Amino acid sequence: MSDKQAPVSGLADYKYGFSYPDQSVYKPGKGLSEEVVRAISAQKREPEWMLETRLRALRAFYRKPMPNWGAGIGDIDFDDIYYYAKPTESVVKNWEDLPEDILKTYDRLGLPEAEKKFLAGVGAQYDSEVVYHSIQEDLKSQGVLFLSPEQALEEHPDIVKKYFGTIIPFNDNKFAALNTAVWSGGSFIYVPPNIKVEIPLQAYFRINSENFGQFERTLIIVDENSFVHYIEGCTAPVYTTDSLHSAVVEIVAEKGARVRYSTIQNWSGDIYNLVTKRAVAKENATVEWVDGNIGSKRTMKYPAVWLMGEGAHGEVLSIAFGGKDQEQDTGGKIVHNASNTSSIITSKSISKDGGTATYRGLIKVAEGLHNVKSHVVCDALILDEKSISKTFPYMEVESDDVSVEHEARVSRISEDQLFYLTARGLSEEEASMMIVNGFLDPLVKQLPMEYAVELNRLIELEMEGSVG
Amino acid sequence: MNLKIENLKAGLPDKKILQGITLEVPAGEIHALMGPNGSGKSTLANVLAGHPQYEVSSGNISMGDINLSELEAYERARAGLFLAFQYPVEVPGITVGKFLKRAVELRRGEEGRFNVSAYIKELRENMDFLGIDQKFINRYLNEGFSGGEKKRMEVLQMLMLKPDFAVLDETDSGLDIDALQVVAKGINTLRGEDFSALVITHYQRILDYVKPDRVHVMVEGRIVLSGGPEIVDELEAKGYDWVKDSL
C-alpha cells in the first residue's frame, strides 16, 4: 500500500453562504455587558428568576478562563460580536407570514419542503429568535409540546423552571455560562408518558447577520415510556469576519423513555461552533446522539449521556469532516452512574486539505457499580499528507465489574485503491468519494433515510468541489 | 479489438523495467504472455491499464484506432480495456452490487438511463455461471474474500464490463483446479471476433483450458520469443532457462 496523497479536488464552495440585508427589528450594539443581558431579558418580558440566572451566568462567564485545550479558539473577539438580533416581532404559524427575505432563506434551505415530506413539527430560528413554529395537530392533541423556549416560559413556566439549567448548570463551562447569560431561541419539547412521536421534529438554526452570536437553548423532556426523534440543522452565510454559535442542549429521558437527537451541523467556514449538549437517562431509558459536523471553522462539541438509572443505555454516533482551515474537535461523553448500564460511542472522522479532525471522548464509571459495559470505536480517514487526525480517548473507571473496550483505526486512501477503482472506469474524484462514502457507510446505514441522503449529499459536496 | 504495443519503454521513476516491448494481439485472438518472476509481466499489465505510478519514457499503445497512451486509467477502462488484477484491492464500505452497477453504467455510457433491473438480472446470471454466491452482491468489494473469491470477482467484473481487450495478470496464480476452470470458463465465454486478450501467466496450467493463439515469452523486460501454442509445451519441458540460454 502506498501513502501517496489522493488526488482530491479542493473544498467545495459553500452552498448556503448567501445572506439578505439585516432588517432586525431590535438589535443592541456590539459587545457583551450587563446592559445587553438586561435588554435581552426585557425584550422577552421574562420572569425575574430568569434574569437573575442570566446575570449570575454572566459573572461566571467573566470569571471562567478560556479552555486551554481542544480546537484553537483564542482568536474569538467577544467585543466584536452582536449578542442579540430580533428578526421579527412574533412567531408565525404559516411560512407565508414571514418577511420575504426570511421566507426566501428557508425556501432555499428546503425547510418548508422537508416539513411537508417527513417532519411532524418544525421550528425555524433566524438569528436570535424563532420566527416560525409548527406541530401536527394530532401530536398537539396528545399533549406533546414543541415550542420556542420563550413560549414555553410564558405558557408552562413551572416545567421550564423545574428543569432549566439542571442538566447543564449555568457555570458548567465558559460557553455554557455565556449561553445561559444571553440565550435566545431554541426549542422546548415535552412528550407526556406513553407517547411515541413516530415522525421527527426538526429545528433549523440560521444565522443571517454578520459578526453575530447565536445562543439558542434547547430543553427536551421525554416522560416515561415515550419516544421522540429531534433533528437539528444549521447553516450561515459566508462573511469575511467570524461569528459565534454557542448553544446549550439539555435532555431528560424519564424511566423507559427513548430520545434520539440528530444534528447535521453545516455552518459556514467562519463560525466558531462551541456547544454543550448533555442528556440524563433514567431507569431503562435510552439516549442517542447522532452528531454530524461538516461545517464551521472550529467546533468543540462532545454530546454527553449521564446514565442515572439501572438499565439505561447511551449512544453517540459522531461524524466529523475537517476540511481546509477547519478544526473539528468532537466526540462524546458517557457517565455511568448506575449498575447494568451500557454505552456505545462510534466516531468516524475524515480530514482533508490540511484540516484537523480530533476525537475527544470520555467514558466514566462511578464507584461501586456492577455489570457496566461500554464500547468505543474511533475510525479516522486521512485524505492527504497535509491533514491531521487525533484521538483522545479518556477513561475514568472506578468499579471492577466493568467491560470497557476501545478500538481506534487510522487509514489513508491508498494509491492502490484509487488505481483499482479508476481501472474500472471511475474518475479519481469519484473513486475518492466512493472510498469516503464507503468509510462512512456502516454509520450512515443507521440514520433515517432522508437524513442519510442529506449527509451523503453534503459529503459529496465537500469532496467534489462543485456547487449544486 | 486489436491491441498494438510499439517499442514500449517504461518503469518506475528510479528503475527501468520494460526495455522496448513490441507486441500485437489481433482482434479475436487470445495471446499468452509467459516469463519468469521479475521479468516485467505485471509492469506491462499495469502500464497498459495506465497505472500512474509507472513512467512511460517512449513507445506507443493503441487499441483499435484509440491511442491509449494519451488516456488516463479511467478513460482506458471506459474505452474498453480491462485489467484483471493479480492482487485485487479491498475497498471497504462499497458493495459489489453498487460498485459494479456504477462501473457498468460508465462503461456503457448509460448514465441517467441505466436499466437497473436488466443489470441485476445479468449480474445474477453471471454469478451463477461463475459459481459465486448471490450474497456477494451485498458484500463489500473484495473485503475478507479468499484468494479464489477475489479472482472470481475479477472475472465477474470482466463479464459484466464486456471489454474489447482484457489483460489478465496472473489470474490463475494460487487457484485450485476448480477455481482455475471457472476463470478459464469466464475467458472462453467472451472469446469471439470482438474480443481479444493477453493472458499473463507464470505457469502453463491455465493454458490447458484457455488455448492461446500465440505465446510470447518475456525475460528481463523484453519479448525474447514468440510463437504458436507449442512453445508452452517446450517451456514446460525445458523451463525458462532454455529461453535464457538460447538468447
Side-chain angles (χ1 to χ4, degrees), chain A residues 94-107:
Chain A
N94 297 307
W95 290 106
E96 298 73 33
D97 296 338
L98 286 173
E100 198 185 340
D101 286 351
I102 298 181
L103 176 59
K104 265 195 256 171
T105 298
Y106 289 116
D107 269 335

Side-chain angles (χ1 to χ4, degrees), chain A residues 92-395:
Chain A
V92 301
K93 287 178 178 155
N94 297 307
W95 290 106
E96 298 73 33
D97 296 338
L98 286 173
E100 198 185 340
D101 286 351
I102 298 181
L103 176 59
K104 265 195 256 171
T105 298
Y106 289 116
D107 269 335
R108 290 174 73 172
L109 297 170
L111 198 56
E113 189 67 21
E115 180 184 16
K116 273 181 232 155
K117 283 186 189 159
F118 57 85
L119 297 170
V122 169
Q125 177 158 347
Y126 197 82
D127 289 340
S128 293
E129 296 286 351
V130 176
V131 293
Y132 168 87
H133 228 287
S134 76
I135 181 166
Q136 284 178 359
E137 280 304 321
D138 60 321
L139 290 179
K140 210 171 165 181
S141 63
Q142 291 176 82
V144 176
L145 302 176
F146 181 34
L147 303 166
S148 71
E150 288 85 354
Q151 282 173 297
L153 199 51
E154 207 179 314
E155 296 168 22
H156 307 277
D158 295 347
I159 312 183
V160 177
K161 193 172 181 184
K162 184 177 167 193
Y163 290 102
F164 187 96
T166 57
I167 313 301
I168 301 171
F170 72 93
N171 57 358
D172 187 83
N173 64 72
K174 191 172 181 74
F175 290 92
L178 177 61
N179 173 282
T180 308
V182 296
W183 74 267
S184 183
S187 293
F188 172 84
I189 294 173
Y190 172 74
V191 184
N194 304 310
I195 289 178
K196 310 267 189 268
V197 182
E198 302 290 353
I199 308 173
L201 305 175
Q202 169 149 16
Y204 202 99
F205 298 98
R206 174 72 181 175
I207 293 178
N208 185 64
S209 296
E210 195 172 358
N211 289 97
F212 190 71
Q214 190 176 55
F215 305 97
E216 90 269 9
R217 184 92 190 188
T218 291
L219 179 56
I220 299 174
I221 299 135
V222 180
D223 221 322
E224 293 187 8
N225 302 315
S226 290
F227 167 72
V228 73
H229 181 192
Y230 175 83
I231 298 176
E232 170 196 275
C234 6
T235 58
V238 175
Y239 291 116
T240 52
T241 55
D242 296 326
S243 284
L244 173 61
H245 172 255
S246 191
V248 165
V249 176
E250 298 177 282
I251 297 179
V252 180
E254 294 288 354
K255 198 172 156 184
R258 181 170 159 232
V259 184
R260 174 172 264 236
Y261 190 112
S262 302
T263 305
I264 288 186
Q265 171 272 107
N266 188 26
W267 291 114
S268 53
D270 44 16
I271 303 279
Y272 286 95
N273 184 44
L274 309 164
V275 173
T276 310
K277 291 181 165 173
R278 191 174 302 155
V280 162
K282 301 198 179 161
E283 198 183 326
N284 293 320
T286 293
V287 174
E288 299 151 298
W289 296 101
V290 178
D291 199 49
N293 292 289
I294 313 294
S296 84
K297 176 178 183 175
R298 301 279 180 271
T299 286
M300 287 173 71
K301 181 167 22 129
Y302 322 96
V305 187
W306 288 54
L307 302 167
M308 305 303 284
E310 289 209 19
H313 177 72
E315 273 189 46
V316 181
L317 297 180
S318 174
I319 305 161
F321 192 105
K324 191 171 190 295
D325 302 325
Q326 283 184 292
E327 207 176 330
Q328 307 281 10
D329 202 285
T330 59
K333 294 184 196 176
I334 307 275
V335 178
H336 291 262
N337 251 334
S339 293
N340 302 313
T341 50
S342 57
S343 61
I344 300 171
I345 297 179
T346 312
S347 160
K348 292 259 184 185
S349 74
I350 296 165
S351 43
K352 172 176 175 274
D353 292 332
T356 300
T358 299
Y359 168 79
R360 194 181 297 275
L362 171 68
I363 297 291
K364 191 171 178 174
V365 182
E367 224 179 317
L369 304 183
H370 63 269
N371 190 26
V372 169
K373 292 193 181 89
S374 180
H375 192 82
V376 180
V377 183
C378 303
D379 282 345
L381 183 65
I382 304 174
L383 298 197
D384 53 53
E385 297 291 310
K386 296 177 290 184
S387 302
I388 298 165
S389 167
K390 299 181 203 167
T391 304
F392 299 101
Y394 300 101
M395 289 186 195

Side-chain angles (χ1 to χ4, degrees), chain B residues 206-246:
Chain B
I206 190 169
L207 303 176
D208 293 341
Y209 303 98
V210 180
K211 290 292 172 202
D213 296 292
R214 275 182 81 75
V215 178
H216 309 275
V217 180
M218 191 167 177
V219 175
E220 288 168 7
R222 289 186 175 84
I223 303 283
V224 295
L225 183 67
S226 293
E230 69 281 357
I231 294 182
V232 178
D233 299 324
E234 213 156 345
L235 280 174
E236 178 70 3
K238 301 178 183 171
Y240 285 112
D241 287 342
W242 158 67
V243 191
K244 284 184 189 169
D245 294 343
S246 64

Side-chain angles (χ1 to χ4, degrees), chain B residues 39-111:
Chain B
S39 59
K41 303 190 298 293
S42 281
T43 297
L44 178 62
N46 282 307
V47 169
L48 290 176
H51 197 305
Q53 201 182 338
Y54 293 94
E55 286 175 5
V56 175
S57 50
S58 72
N60 200 54
I61 309 163
S62 57
M63 182 174 69
D65 49 14
I66 304 164
N67 185 352
L68 292 183
S69 307
E70 291 170 354
L71 302 182
E72 300 279 337
Y74 76 94
E75 296 169 314
R76 298 182 193 201
R78 289 184 198 180
L81 182 81
F82 181 86
L83 170 64
F85 280 63
Q86 182 177 7
Y87 303 110
V89 182
E90 301 196 1
V91 194
I94 301 165
T95 63
V96 166
K98 197 176 163 190
F99 161 71
L100 256 177
K101 174 184 166 284
R102 183 63 182 148
V104 170
E105 188 175 52
L106 290 167
R107 163 80 178 114
R108 298 182 188 168
E110 286 176 354
E111 275 181 273

Side-chain angles (χ1 to χ4, degrees), chain B residues 5-12 15-22 43-44 47 54-61 221-222:
Chain B
I5 305 168
E6 293 164 286
N7 193 31
L8 181 66
K9 291 184 183 171
L12 295 168
K15 193 180 173 199
K16 286 180 185 169
I17 301 171
L18 303 180
Q19 315 277 358
I21 303 281
T22 297
T43 297
L44 178 62
V47 169
Y54 293 94
E55 286 175 5
V56 175
S57 50
S58 72
N60 200 54
I61 309 163
R222 289 186 175 84

Side-chain angles (χ1 to χ4, degrees), chain B residues 121-165:
Chain B
K121 187 167 172 281
E122 194 181 336
L123 179 62
R124 290 187 186 283
E125 282 167 5
N126 280 322
M127 290 177 96
D128 285 344
F129 181 69
L130 297 173
I132 301 173
D133 193 313
Q134 305 276 343
K135 287 188 188 121
F136 277 76
I137 294 177
N138 293 316
R139 283 187 60 178
Y140 291 148
L141 185 56
N142 294 325
E143 195 187 40
F145 288 18
S146 70
E149 287 165 348
K150 283 181 182 168
K151 295 298 177 73
R152 282 179 204 231
M153 189 51 60
E154 293 295 289
V155 177
L156 174 67
Q157 292 179 36
M158 182 174 74
L159 293 190
M160 291 302 293
L161 291 167
K162 297 192 180 67
D164 298 314
F165 191 92

